Amino acid sequence: MGDPVTMAVAGTLITGAMQGVAAKQASDAQADQLAYEREQNQLAAQDELTAAAQEEAVRRREINDTLATITAVRASRGLTQNSPGGQNIINETRRIGERNVQIGKLNRLTRSQSFKSQADFQGRQIKSVKSAGNTQAFISLLSGGSKAAAIKAGV
């Protein structure tokens, strides 16, 4: 069996090191979870952009189909395309359709930006968590060392 003071110093150093490793592992695990969530938010942001483009295309096709139907109905009734009433109907239908396209697109872009902002925030959290883990690990090692030095000095 070894000297009790040496054993106490060794035990204190090992405890400090173990606490430091545990702090680092905990921060790494938290950073990994945040990185996963960040990636999911980045994917969701991209999905919203894709959906915005797809919905815009569908809505524009619907506008064109509606305008074509109005034109066909008017033509079947012998009405000219240049009559003031007919042109007003077409213009109003186009205006409402365009407004709906822009509203839908803006909603998707807003959701995309929200996901992107969350992902950016998580990126900053990752840095903070890693820094805190490194600091805590260093403090644990330093504390273990100072306690060991105190034991060795007989304090």
Side-chain angles (χ1 to χ4, degrees), residues 9-99:
V9 168
T12 302
L13 288 173
I14 290 170
T15 300
M18 289 174 58
Q19 289 172 342
V21 168
K24 181 73 170 108
Q25 288 175 338
S27 70
D28 286 349
Q30 187 178 4
D32 289 346
Q33 178 63 33
L34 286 168
Y36 172 78
E37 291 171 8
R38 179 182 184 201
E39 182 179 338
Q40 294 304 305
N41 280 319
Q42 289 171 331
L43 291 172
Q46 187 58 48
D47 288 347
E48 288 294 334
L49 292 176
T50 301
Q54 290 171 340
E55 285 179 10
E56 181 179 7
V58 167
R59 287 184 175 160
R60 288 195 185 284
R61 188 170 44 249
E62 289 171 353
I63 292 170
N64 290 334
D65 291 348
T66 301
L67 293 173
T69 300
I70 290 170
T71 301
V73 168
R74 290 183 52 73
S76 70
R77 294 187 180 158
L79 302 172
T80 65
Q81 297 303 316
N82 296 328
S83 69
Q87 198 58 45
N88 286 342
I89 291 171
I90 289 174
N91 290 342
E92 186 65 10
T93 300
R94 182 176 286 125
R95 186 188 67 76
I96 291 170
E98 272 301 315
R99 186 188 74 205

Coordinates of all heavy atoms in Angstrom, one line a residue, residues 9-99:
V9 N -3.7 12.5 -3.0 CA -3.4 13.4 -4.1 C -3.8 12.8 -5.4 O -4.5 13.4 -6.3 CB -1.9 13.8 -4.1 CG1 -1.5 14.4 -5.4 CG2 -1.6 14.6 -2.9
A10 N -3.5 11.5 -5.6 CA -3.8 10.8 -6.8 C -5.3 10.7 -7.0 O -5.9 10.9 -8.1 CB -3.2 9.4 -6.9
G11 N -6.0 10.4 -5.9 CA -7.5 10.3 -6.0 C -8.1 11.6 -6.3 O -9.1 11.7 -7.1
T12 N -7.6 12.7 -5.7 CA -8.1 14.0 -6.0 C -7.9 14.4 -7.5 O -8.8 14.9 -8.1 CB -7.5 15.0 -5.1 OG1 -7.7 14.6 -3.7 CG2 -8.0 16.4 -5.3
L13 N -6.7 14.1 -8.0 CA -6.4 14.4 -9.4 C -7.3 13.6 -10.3 O -7.8 14.1 -11.3 CB -5.0 14.1 -9.7 CG -4.0 15.1 -9.1 CD1 -2.5 14.6 -9.3 CD2 -4.2 16.5 -9.7
I14 N -7.5 12.3 -10.0 CA -8.4 11.5 -10.8 C -9.8 12.0 -10.8 O -10.5 12.0 -11.8 CB -8.3 10.0 -10.4 CG1 -6.9 9.4 -10.7 CG2 -9.4 9.1 -11.0 CD1 -6.6 8.1 -10.1
T15 N -10.3 12.3 -9.6 CA -11.6 12.8 -9.5 C -11.8 14.1 -10.3 O -12.8 14.3 -11.1 CB -12.0 13.1 -8.0 OG1 -11.9 11.9 -7.3 CG2 -13.4 13.7 -7.9
G16 N -10.9 15.0 -10.3 CA -10.9 16.2 -11.1 C -10.9 16.0 -12.5 O -11.7 16.6 -13.3
A17 N -10.1 15.0 -12.9 CA -10.0 14.6 -14.4 C -11.3 14.0 -14.8 O -11.8 14.3 -15.9 CB -8.9 13.7 -14.6
M18 N -11.9 13.1 -14.0 CA -13.2 12.5 -14.3 C -14.3 13.5 -14.5 O -15.1 13.4 -15.4 CB -13.5 11.4 -13.3 CG -12.6 10.2 -13.4 SD -12.8 8.9 -12.2 CE -14.5 8.5 -12.4
Q19 N -14.3 14.5 -13.5 CA -15.3 15.5 -13.6 C -15.1 16.4 -14.9 O -16.1 16.8 -15.5 CB -15.3 16.4 -12.4 CG -15.8 15.7 -11.1 CD -15.5 16.5 -9.8 OE1 -14.7 17.5 -9.8 NE2 -16.2 16.2 -8.8
G20 N -13.9 16.6 -15.2 CA -13.6 17.4 -16.4 C -14.1 16.6 -17.7 O -14.7 17.2 -18.6
V21 N -13.8 15.4 -17.7 CA -14.2 14.5 -18.9 C -15.7 14.5 -18.9 O -16.3 14.6 -20.0 CB -13.6 13.1 -18.8 CG1 -14.2 12.2 -19.8 CG2 -12.1 13.2 -19.0
A22 N -16.4 14.3 -17.8 CA -17.8 14.2 -17.8 C -18.5 15.5 -18.3 O -19.4 15.5 -19.0 CB -18.3 13.9 -16.3
A23 N -17.9 16.7 -17.8 CA -18.4 18.0 -18.3 C -18.3 18.1 -19.8 O -19.2 18.6 -20.5 CB -17.7 19.1 -17.6
K24 N -17.1 17.7 -20.3 CA -16.9 17.8 -21.8 C -17.8 16.9 -22.5 O -18.4 17.3 -23.6 CB -15.4 17.4 -22.0 CG -15.0 17.5 -23.5 CD -14.9 18.9 -24.0 CE -14.3 19.0 -25.3 NZ -15.2 19.4 -26.3
Q25 N -18.0 15.6 -22.0 CA -18.9 14.7 -22.7 C -20.3 15.2 -22.7 O -21.1 15.1 -23.7 CB -18.8 13.3 -22.0 CG -17.5 12.6 -22.4 CD -17.4 11.3 -21.6 OE1 -18.0 11.1 -20.6 NE2 -16.6 10.4 -22.1
A26 N -20.8 15.8 -21.6 CA -22.1 16.3 -21.5 C -22.3 17.5 -22.5 O -23.3 17.6 -23.2 CB -22.4 16.8 -20.1
S27 N -21.3 18.4 -22.6 CA -21.5 19.5 -23.5 C -21.4 19.0 -24.9 O -22.1 19.5 -25.8 CB -20.4 20.6 -23.3 OG -19.1 20.1 -23.6
D28 N -20.6 18.0 -25.2 CA -20.5 17.4 -26.6 C -21.9 16.8 -27.0 O -22.3 17.0 -28.1 CB -19.4 16.4 -26.7 CG -18.0 17.0 -26.7 OD1 -17.9 18.3 -26.9 OD2 -17.0 16.3 -26.6
A29 N -22.5 16.1 -26.0 CA -23.8 15.5 -26.3 C -24.9 16.5 -26.6 O -25.7 16.4 -27.5 CB -24.2 14.6 -25.1
Q30 N -24.8 17.6 -25.8 CA -25.8 18.7 -26.0 C -25.5 19.4 -27.3 O -26.5 19.7 -28.0 CB -25.7 19.7 -24.8 CG -26.8 20.7 -24.9 CD -26.8 21.7 -23.7 OE1 -25.9 21.6 -22.9 NE2 -27.7 22.6 -23.6
A31 N -24.3 19.6 -27.6 CA -23.9 20.2 -28.9 C -24.4 19.3 -30.1 O -24.9 19.8 -31.1 CB -22.4 20.5 -29.0
D32 N -24.2 18.0 -30.0 CA -24.6 17.1 -31.0 C -26.2 17.2 -31.2 O -26.6 17.2 -32.4 CB -24.2 15.7 -30.7 CG -22.7 15.4 -30.8 OD1 -22.0 16.3 -31.4 OD2 -22.2 14.4 -30.3
Q33 N -26.9 17.2 -30.1 CA -28.4 17.3 -30.2 C -28.8 18.6 -30.9 O -29.6 18.7 -31.8 CB -29.0 17.2 -28.8 CG -30.5 17.4 -28.8 CD -31.2 16.3 -29.6 OE1 -30.8 15.1 -29.6 NE2 -32.3 16.6 -30.2
L34 N -28.1 19.7 -30.5 CA -28.4 21.0 -31.1 C -28.0 21.0 -32.6 O -28.7 21.6 -33.4 CB -27.6 22.1 -30.4 CG -28.2 22.5 -29.1 CD1 -27.2 23.4 -28.3 CD2 -29.5 23.2 -29.2
A35 N -26.9 20.3 -33.0 CA -26.5 20.2 -34.4 C -27.6 19.5 -35.2 O -27.9 19.9 -36.3 CB -25.2 19.6 -34.5
Y36 N -28.1 18.4 -34.6 CA -29.1 17.6 -35.3 C -30.4 18.5 -35.5 O -30.9 18.6 -36.6 CB -29.5 16.4 -34.5 CG -30.7 15.7 -35.0 CD1 -30.6 14.8 -36.1 CD2 -32.0 15.8 -34.4 CE1 -31.7 14.2 -36.6 CE2 -33.1 15.1 -34.9 CZ -32.9 14.3 -36.0 OH -34.0 13.7 -36.5
E37 N -30.8 19.2 -34.4 CA -32.0 20.1 -34.5 C -31.7 21.2 -35.5 O -32.6 21.6 -36.3 CB -32.3 20.7 -33.2 CG -32.9 19.6 -32.2 CD -33.0 20.1 -30.8 OE1 -32.8 21.3 -30.6 OE2 -33.3 19.3 -29.9
R38 N -30.5 21.7 -35.6 CA -30.2 22.8 -36.5 C -30.3 22.3 -38.0 O -30.9 22.9 -38.8 CB -28.8 23.3 -36.3 CG -28.3 24.3 -37.2 CD -26.9 24.7 -36.9 NE -26.5 25.8 -37.8 CZ -25.2 26.1 -38.1 NH1 -24.3 25.5 -37.5 NH2 -25.0 27.1 -38.9
E39 N -29.8 21.1 -38.2 CA -29.9 20.5 -39.5 C -31.4 20.3 -39.9 O -31.7 20.5 -41.1 CB -29.1 19.1 -39.5 CG -29.1 18.5 -40.9 CD -28.4 17.2 -40.9 OE1 -27.5 16.9 -40.1 OE2 -28.7 16.4 -41.8
Q40 N -32.2 19.8 -39.0 CA -33.6 19.6 -39.3 C -34.3 21.0 -39.6 O -35.1 21.0 -40.6 CB -34.3 19.0 -38.1 CG -33.9 17.6 -37.8 CD -34.0 16.7 -39.0 OE1 -35.1 16.5 -39.6 NE2 -32.9 16.0 -39.4
N41 N -33.9 22.0 -38.9 CA -34.5 23.3 -39.2 C -34.0 23.9 -40.6 O -34.7 24.5 -41.3 CB -34.2 24.3 -38.1 CG -35.1 24.2 -36.9 OD1 -36.3 24.0 -37.1 ND2 -34.6 24.2 -35.7
Q42 N -32.7 23.6 -40.9 CA -32.2 24.0 -42.2 C -33.0 23.3 -43.3 O -33.3 23.9 -44.4 CB -30.7 23.7 -42.3 CG -29.9 24.7 -41.5 CD -28.4 24.3 -41.4 OE1 -28.1 23.1 -41.5 NE2 -27.6 25.3 -41.2
L43 N -33.2 22.0 -43.1 CA -34.0 21.2 -44.1 C -35.4 21.7 -44.2 O -35.9 21.8 -45.3 CB -33.9 19.7 -43.8 CG -32.6 19.0 -43.9 CD1 -32.7 17.6 -43.3 CD2 -32.1 19.0 -45.3
A44 N -36.0 22.0 -43.1 CA -37.4 22.5 -43.1 C -37.4 23.9 -43.8 O -38.4 24.1 -44.6 CB -37.9 22.7 -41.7
A45 N -36.4 24.7 -43.6 CA -36.4 26.0 -44.3 C -36.3 25.8 -45.8 O -37.0 26.5 -46.6 CB -35.2 26.8 -43.8
Q46 N -35.5 24.9 -46.3 CA -35.4 24.6 -47.7 C -36.7 24.0 -48.2 O -37.1 24.3 -49.4 CB -34.2 23.6 -48.0 CG -33.9 23.4 -49.4 CD -33.6 24.7 -50.2 OE1 -32.8 25.5 -49.7 NE2 -34.3 24.9 -51.3
D47 N -37.3 23.1 -47.5 CA -38.6 22.5 -47.9 C -39.6 23.6 -48.1 O -40.4 23.5 -49.0 CB -39.1 21.5 -46.8 CG -38.3 20.2 -46.8 OD1 -37.5 20.0 -47.7 OD2 -38.4 19.4 -45.8
E48 N -39.6 24.6 -47.2 CA -40.6 25.7 -47.4 C -40.3 26.5 -48.6 O -41.3 26.9 -49.3 CB -40.6 26.6 -46.1 CG -41.2 26.0 -44.9 CD -42.6 25.8 -45.0 OE1 -43.4 26.4 -45.7 OE2 -43.1 24.9 -44.2
L49 N -39.1 26.7 -49.0 CA -38.8 27.4 -50.2 C -39.2 26.6 -51.4 O -39.8 27.2 -52.4 CB -37.3 27.7 -50.3 CG -36.7 28.7 -49.3 CD1 -35.2 28.8 -49.4 CD2 -37.4 30.1 -49.4
T50 N -39.0 25.3 -51.4 CA -39.4 24.4 -52.5 C -40.9 24.4 -52.6 O -41.5 24.6 -53.7 CB -38.9 23.0 -52.2 OG1 -37.5 23.0 -52.2 CG2 -39.3 22.1 -53.4
A51 N -41.6 24.3 -51.4 CA -43.1 24.3 -51.5 C -43.6 25.7 -52.0 O -44.6 25.7 -52.7 CB -43.6 24.0 -50.1
A52 N -43.0 26.8 -51.6 CA -43.4 28.1 -52.1 C -43.4 28.1 -53.6 O -44.3 28.6 -54.3 CB -42.5 29.2 -51.5
A53 N -42.3 27.6 -54.2 CA -42.1 27.6 -55.7 C -43.2 26.7 -56.3 O -43.8 27.1 -57.3 CB -40.7 27.2 -56.1
Q54 N -43.4 25.6 -55.7 CA -44.4 24.6 -56.3 C -45.8 25.2 -56.2 O -46.6 25.1 -57.2 CB -44.3 23.3 -55.5 CG -43.0 22.5 -55.8 CD -42.9 21.3 -55.0 OE1 -43.5 21.2 -53.9 NE2 -42.0 20.4 -55.4
E55 N -46.1 25.8 -55.0 CA -47.5 26.3 -54.9 C -47.7 27.5 -55.8 O -48.8 27.7 -56.3 CB -47.7 26.8 -53.4 CG -48.0 25.6 -52.5 CD -48.2 26.0 -51.0 OE1 -48.3 27.2 -50.8 OE2 -48.2 25.1 -50.2
E56 N -46.7 28.3 -56.0 CA -46.8 29.5 -56.9 C -47.1 29.0 -58.3 O -48.0 29.5 -59.0 CB -45.5 30.3 -56.9 CG -45.6 31.5 -57.8 CD -44.3 32.3 -57.8 OE1 -43.3 31.9 -57.2 OE2 -44.4 33.4 -58.4
A57 N -46.4 27.9 -58.7 CA -46.6 27.4 -60.1 C -48.1 26.9 -60.2 O -48.7 27.1 -61.2 CB -45.6 26.3 -60.4
V58 N -48.5 26.2 -59.2 CA -49.9 25.6 -59.2 C -50.9 26.8 -59.3 O -51.9 26.7 -60.1 CB -50.2 24.7 -58.0 CG1 -51.6 24.4 -57.8 CG2 -49.3 23.4 -58.1
R59 N -50.7 27.8 -58.4 CA -51.7 28.9 -58.4 C -51.7 29.7 -59.7 O -52.7 30.1 -60.1 CB -51.4 29.8 -57.2 CG -51.8 29.1 -55.9 CD -51.6 30.0 -54.7 NE -52.2 29.3 -53.5 CZ -51.8 29.6 -52.3 NH1 -51.0 30.6 -52.1 NH2 -52.3 29.0 -51.3
R60 N -50.5 29.8 -60.3 CA -50.5 30.6 -61.5 C -51.2 29.8 -62.7 O -51.8 30.3 -63.5 CB -49.0 30.9 -61.9 CG -48.4 31.9 -61.0 CD -47.1 32.5 -61.6 NE -46.5 33.4 -60.7 CZ -47.0 34.7 -60.5 NH1 -48.0 35.1 -61.1 NH2 -46.4 35.4 -59.6
R61 N -51.0 28.4 -62.6 CA -51.7 27.6 -63.6 C -53.2 27.7 -63.4 O -54.0 27.8 -64.3 CB -51.2 26.1 -63.4 CG -51.8 25.2 -64.5 CD -51.1 23.8 -64.6 NE -51.0 23.2 -63.3 CZ -49.8 23.0 -62.6 NH1 -48.7 23.4 -63.2 NH2 -49.8 22.4 -61.5
E62 N -53.6 27.8 -62.1 CA -55.1 27.9 -61.8 C -55.6 29.3 -62.3 O -56.7 29.3 -62.8 CB -55.3 27.8 -60.3 CG -55.1 26.4 -59.8 CD -55.2 26.3 -58.2 OE1 -55.2 27.4 -57.6 OE2 -55.2 25.2 -57.7
I63 N -54.8 30.3 -62.1 CA -55.2 31.6 -62.7 C -55.4 31.6 -64.2 O -56.4 32.0 -64.7 CB -54.2 32.7 -62.3 CG1 -54.1 33.0 -60.8 CG2 -54.4 34.0 -63.1 CD1 -53.0 33.9 -60.4
N64 N -54.4 31.0 -64.8 CA -54.5 30.9 -66.3 C -55.7 30.0 -66.7 O -56.4 30.3 -67.7 CB -53.2 30.3 -66.9 CG -52.0 31.3 -66.8 OD1 -52.3 32.5 -66.7 ND2 -50.8 30.8 -66.7
D65 N -56.0 28.9 -66.0 CA -57.1 28.1 -66.3 C -58.4 28.9 -66.1 O -59.3 28.8 -67.0 CB -57.1 26.8 -65.5 CG -56.0 25.8 -65.8 OD1 -55.4 26.0 -66.9 OD2 -55.8 24.9 -65.0
T66 N -58.5 29.6 -65.1 CA -59.7 30.4 -64.8 C -59.9 31.5 -65.9 O -61.0 31.7 -66.4 CB -59.6 31.1 -63.4 OG1 -59.5 30.1 -62.4 CG2 -60.8 31.9 -63.1
L67 N -58.8 32.1 -66.2 CA -58.9 33.2 -67.3 C -59.3 32.5 -68.6 O -60.1 33.1 -69.4 CB -57.6 33.9 -67.4 CG -57.2 34.8 -66.2 CD1 -55.8 35.4 -66.4 CD2 -58.2 35.9 -66.0
A68 N -58.8 31.4 -68.9 CA -59.1 30.7 -70.2 C -60.6 30.3 -70.1 O -61.3 30.4 -71.2 CB -58.2 29.4 -70.3
T69 N -61.1 29.8 -69.0 CA -62.5 29.5 -68.9 C -63.4 30.7 -69.1 O -64.4 30.6 -69.8 CB -62.8 28.8 -67.5 OG1 -62.0 27.7 -67.3 CG2 -64.3 28.5 -67.3
I70 N -63.0 31.8 -68.5 CA -63.8 33.1 -68.6 C -63.8 33.5 -70.1 O -64.9 33.8 -70.7 CB -63.2 34.2 -67.7 CG1 -63.5 33.9 -66.3 CG2 -63.8 35.5 -68.1 CD1 -62.7 34.8 -65.3
T71 N -62.7 33.4 -70.7 CA -62.6 33.8 -72.2 C -63.4 32.8 -73.0 O -64.2 33.3 -73.9 CB -61.1 33.7 -72.6 OG1 -60.4 34.6 -71.8 CG2 -61.0 34.1 -74.1
A72 N -63.4 31.5 -72.7 CA -64.2 30.6 -73.5 C -65.7 30.8 -73.3 O -66.5 30.7 -74.3 CB -63.8 29.2 -73.1
V73 N -66.1 31.0 -72.1 CA -67.5 31.3 -71.8 C -68.0 32.5 -72.5 O -69.1 32.6 -73.1 CB -67.8 31.4 -70.3 CG1 -69.2 31.9 -70.0 CG2 -67.6 30.0 -69.6
R74 N -67.2 33.6 -72.4 CA -67.6 34.8 -73.1 C -67.6 34.6 -74.6 O -68.6 35.1 -75.3 CB -66.6 35.9 -72.8 CG -66.7 36.4 -71.3 CD -65.8 37.5 -71.0 NE -65.8 38.6 -71.9 CZ -66.8 39.5 -71.9 NH1 -67.8 39.4 -71.1 NH2 -66.8 40.5 -72.7
A75 N -66.7 33.9 -75.2 CA -66.7 33.7 -76.6 C -67.9 32.8 -77.0 O -68.5 33.1 -78.1 CB -65.4 33.0 -77.0
S76 N -68.3 31.8 -76.2 CA -69.4 31.0 -76.5 C -70.7 31.8 -76.5 O -71.7 31.4 -77.2 CB -69.5 29.8 -75.6 OG -69.9 30.2 -74.3
R77 N -70.7 32.9 -75.8 CA -71.9 33.7 -75.8 C -71.9 34.9 -76.7 O -72.7 35.8 -76.8 CB -72.1 34.3 -74.3 CG -72.4 33.1 -73.4 CD -72.7 33.7 -72.0 NE -73.0 32.5 -71.1 CZ -72.9 32.6 -69.8 NH1 -72.6 33.7 -69.2 NH2 -73.2 31.5 -69.1
G78 N -70.8 34.9 -77.5 CA -70.7 35.9 -78.6 C -70.2 37.3 -78.1 O -70.4 38.3 -78.7
L79 N -69.6 37.3 -76.9 CA -69.1 38.6 -76.3 C -67.7 38.8 -76.8 O -66.9 37.9 -76.8 CB -69.2 38.6 -74.8 CG -70.6 38.3 -74.2 CD1 -70.6 38.1 -72.7 CD2 -71.6 39.5 -74.6
T80 N -67.4 40.0 -77.0 CA -66.0 40.3 -77.5 C -65.1 40.4 -76.3 O -65.5 40.7 -75.1 CB -65.9 41.6 -78.3 OG1 -66.3 42.7 -77.4 CG2 -66.8 41.6 -79.5
Q81 N -63.8 40.1 -76.5 CA -62.8 40.2 -75.4 C -62.5 41.6 -75.0 O -62.0 41.9 -74.0 CB -61.5 39.5 -75.8 CG -61.7 38.0 -76.1 CD -62.3 37.3 -74.9 OE1 -61.8 37.5 -73.8 NE2 -63.3 36.4 -75.1
N82 N -62.8 42.6 -75.9 CA -62.4 43.9 -75.7 C -63.5 44.8 -75.0 O -63.4 46.0 -74.9 CB -62.0 44.6 -77.0 CG -60.8 43.9 -77.6 OD1 -59.9 43.5 -76.8 ND2 -60.7 43.9 -78.9
S83 N -64.7 44.2 -74.7 CA -65.7 44.9 -74.0 C -65.3 45.4 -72.6 O -64.5 44.6 -72.0 CB -67.0 44.1 -73.9 OG -66.8 43.1 -73.0
P84 N -65.7 46.5 -72.2 CA -65.2 47.0 -70.9 C -65.6 46.1 -69.7 O -64.7 45.9 -68.9 CB -65.9 48.4 -70.8 CG -66.3 48.8 -72.1 CD -66.5 47.5 -72.9
G85 N -66.8 45.6 -69.7 CA -67.2 44.7 -68.6 C -66.4 43.4 -68.6 O -65.9 42.9 -67.6
G86 N -66.1 42.9 -69.8 CA -65.4 41.6 -69.9 C -63.9 41.8 -69.5 O -63.3 41.0 -68.8
Q87 N -63.4 42.9 -69.9 CA -62.0 43.2 -69.6 C -61.8 43.4 -68.1 O -60.9 43.0 -67.4 CB -61.4 44.4 -70.3 CG -59.9 44.5 -70.4 CD -59.3 43.2 -70.9 OE1 -59.7 42.7 -72.0 NE2 -58.3 42.7 -70.3
N88 N -62.9 44.1 -67.5 CA -62.8 44.3 -66.0 C -62.9 43.0 -65.3 O -62.2 42.8 -64.2 CB -64.0 45.2 -65.6 CG -63.8 46.6 -65.9 OD1 -62.7 47.0 -66.2 ND2 -64.9 47.4 -66.0
I89 N -63.7 42.0 -65.7 CA -63.8 40.7 -65.1 C -62.4 40.0 -65.2 O -61.9 39.5 -64.2 CB -64.9 39.9 -65.7 CG1 -66.2 40.4 -65.4 CG2 -64.8 38.4 -65.2 CD1 -67.4 39.8 -66.1
I90 N -61.8 40.0 -66.3 CA -60.5 39.4 -66.5 C -59.4 40.1 -65.6 O -58.7 39.4 -64.9 CB -60.1 39.4 -68.0 CG1 -61.0 38.4 -68.7 CG2 -58.6 39.1 -68.2 CD1 -60.8 38.4 -70.2
N91 N -59.4 41.4 -65.6 CA -58.4 42.1 -64.8 C -58.6 41.9 -63.3 O -57.6 41.7 -62.6 CB -58.5 43.6 -65.1 CG -58.0 44.0 -66.5 OD1 -57.3 43.2 -67.1 ND2 -58.4 45.2 -66.9
E92 N -59.9 41.8 -62.9 CA -60.1 41.6 -61.4 C -59.8 40.2 -61.1 O -59.2 39.9 -60.0 CB -61.6 41.9 -61.1 CG -61.9 41.8 -59.7 CD -61.3 42.9 -58.8 OE1 -60.6 43.8 -59.3 OE2 -61.3 42.8 -57.6
T93 N -60.1 39.2 -61.9 CA -59.7 37.8 -61.7 C -58.2 37.7 -61.6 O -57.7 37.0 -60.7 CB -60.3 36.9 -62.8 OG1 -61.7 37.1 -62.8 CG2 -59.9 35.5 -62.5
R94 N -57.5 38.3 -62.5 CA -56.1 38.3 -62.5 C -55.5 38.9 -61.3 O -54.6 38.4 -60.6 CB -55.5 38.9 -63.8 CG -54.0 38.9 -63.9 CD -53.4 39.4 -65.2 NE -53.7 38.5 -66.3 CZ -54.3 38.8 -67.4 NH1 -54.8 40.0 -67.6 NH2 -54.6 37.9 -68.3
R95 N -56.0 40.1 -60.9 CA -55.6 40.8 -59.7 C -55.7 39.9 -58.4 O -54.8 39.8 -57.6 CB -56.3 42.1 -59.6 CG -55.7 43.0 -58.4 CD -56.6 44.2 -58.2 NE -57.9 43.9 -57.7 CZ -58.2 43.5 -56.4 NH1 -57.2 43.4 -55.5 NH2 -59.4 43.3 -56.0
I96 N -56.9 39.4 -58.3 CA -57.2 38.5 -57.1 C -56.3 37.3 -57.1 O -55.7 36.9 -56.1 CB -58.7 38.1 -57.0 CG1 -59.5 39.4 -56.7 CG2 -58.9 37.1 -56.0 CD1 -61.0 39.2 -56.9
G97 N -56.2 36.7 -58.3 CA -55.3 35.5 -58.4 C -53.8 35.9 -58.0 O -53.2 35.1 -57.3
E98 N -53.3 37.0 -58.5 CA -52.0 37.4 -58.2 C -51.8 37.7 -56.7 O -50.8 37.3 -56.1 CB -51.6 38.6 -59.0 CG -51.0 38.3 -60.4 CD -49.8 37.5 -60.3 OE1 -48.9 37.8 -59.5 OE2 -49.7 36.6 -61.1
R99 N -52.8 38.3 -56.1 CA -52.7 38.6 -54.7 C -52.7 37.3 -53.9 O -51.9 37.2 -53.0 CB -53.9 39.4 -54.3 CG -53.8 39.9 -52.8 CD -55.1 40.5 -52.3 NE -56.0 39.4 -52.1 CZ -57.3 39.6 -52.1 NH1 -57.9 40.8 -52.4 NH2 -58.1 38.6 -51.9

